Amino acid sequence: MNIDKVLDAKGLACPMPIVKTKKAMNELESGQVLEIHVTDKGAKNDLTAWAKSGGHEYLKHEEEDQILKFWIKKG
C-alpha cells in the first residue's frame, strides 16, 4: 500500500484524533492514503464512522505495541 501521509496522534484523547485526521485529510488529494497512529482506544469506532460519513474509504487497522494504526483513503 502506498502511504501519502502519516499522522501521529498518539497520546491525544477524543476528539483530537478526529480533528487532526480531518486537517491532515484536507491536505491530501482524492485517492491518496493517510496512515494514522493513535493510542486512544475509542478512535477505532470514531475513525470508522468519520471515514464513512465523510465519503472516505476505511481500508484497515492494526494494533502494535498499544498503538492503533489506521489507513484511510481520501474519497
Side-chain angles (χ1 to χ4, degrees):
M1 183 177 358
N2 187 29
I3 309 303
D4 298 289
K5 186 173 181 77
V6 177
L7 171 64
D8 181 358
K10 296 187 294 284
L12 299 176
C14 185
M16 289 313 293
I18 294 292
V19 172
K20 298 271 189 186
T21 298
K22 183 177 188 307
K23 184 173 187 279
M25 200 58 99
N26 287 340
E27 298 170 4
L28 296 179
E29 300 292 327
S30 184
Q32 290 187 311
V33 176
L34 177 64
E35 179 178 322
I36 308 139
H37 299 180
V38 299
T39 49
D40 178 10
K41 301 293 184 194
K44 182 176 187 288
N45 290 334
D46 294 344
L47 285 171
T48 306
W50 177 85
K52 185 177 181 181
S53 71
H56 306 298
E57 184 181 350
Y58 178 87
L59 300 173
K60 68 174 185 166
H61 87 275
E62 316 179 332
E63 185 169 350
E64 180 181 305
D65 298 326
Q66 304 294 314
I67 298 170
L68 295 167
K69 296 181 180 181
F70 299 87
W71 290 269
I72 299 175
K73 183 188 283 187
K74 183 167 183 171

